[in-house]
Amino acid sequence: MSSSAEDWLGPAFHDLHPLLQALHRQPSMLVGPVEVTFARGFAGVVGRRLAARLGVPTMPGRHDFQVNIYSEGGVLHWVRRFDRQTAFHSRFEPVGRHPHGHWLERSGRLSLRLGVRVEAGGWHWVHQGTRWWGVPLPQALMPTTIASKSIEDGRYRFSVAVAVVVPVLGSVMGYAGALLPMQDRVEAR
């Protein structure tokens, strides 16, 4: 049985690293430490407020992270949990097909339009637009998400960074880490 990611990517799915293919073919749980970062000054204040809304810790540094990834009803689900606290659930709905289609990531009132670039076996999200309560945000006000997942030394390397264009704040917050599937972590103990 194929997953929503495999269906949407079509032939490009086979350009992903085999571990990323496996991640999207069956329900998966990845765990490990992540590093949460914030900009300094006013940009950091904006980043912490955004982090609080997204369920990301507002304290910089190392945090335990868990993400459950599964497909259901043609929709890709990511349920993230930092430090075993409240879960942050995103639904990724495919629109069209790769390379001209996109995904709609929905988390509460926020919706991101995301294209995908498959490069060197990795999955790179391409931020194309943002809606708040269904209303498109002007490009100048739009927070930009830069996110990717790849394989590095057998681990799932991922990073997420959020930048704000106006006022020119640059990257306001982010988190990144190298995760292992839950069964690998249990066997490694």
Side-chain angles (χ1 to χ4, degrees), residues 166-178:
V166 172
V168 181
L169 297 177
S171 182
V172 296
M173 63 146 302
Y175 59 94

Side-chain angles (χ1 to χ4, degrees), residues 90-112:
S90 290
R91 298 171 37 93
F92 294 85
E93 300 169 21
V95 177
R97 289 188 54 130
H98 185 269
H100 305 292
H102 61 274
W103 292 80
L104 292 177
E105 178 185 3
R106 298 178 194 273
S107 302
R109 300 174 186 116
L110 184 67
S111 176
L112 303 178

Side-chain angles (χ1 to χ4, degrees), residues 22-30 67-70 156 181 183:
L23 178 73
H24 288 289
R25 282 194 169 127
Q26 61 195 21
S28 301
M29 179 189 299
L30 301 176
V67 59
N68 296 330
I69 302 167
Y70 61 95
Y156 296 84
Q183 65 272 15

Side-chain angles (χ1 to χ4, degrees), residues 111-179:
S111 176
L112 303 178
R113 180 181 168 149
L114 302 166
V116 173
R117 188 179 74 251
V118 177
E119 187 174 287
W123 176 304
H124 302 270
W125 291 110
V126 180
H127 191 161
Q128 299 174 340
T130 303
R131 290 179 179 259
W132 181 257
W133 286 81
V135 176
L137 294 179
Q139 187 75 20
L141 298 177
M142 181 172 59
T144 300
T145 302
I146 303 159
S148 65
K149 50 191 170 185
S150 60
I151 303 299
E152 182 179 294
D153 297 328
R155 292 178 179 261
Y156 296 84
R157 165 67 61 192
F158 77 98
S159 66
V160 176
V162 179
V164 177
V165 178
V166 172
V168 181
L169 297 177
S171 182
V172 296
M173 63 146 302
Y175 59 94
L179 308 176

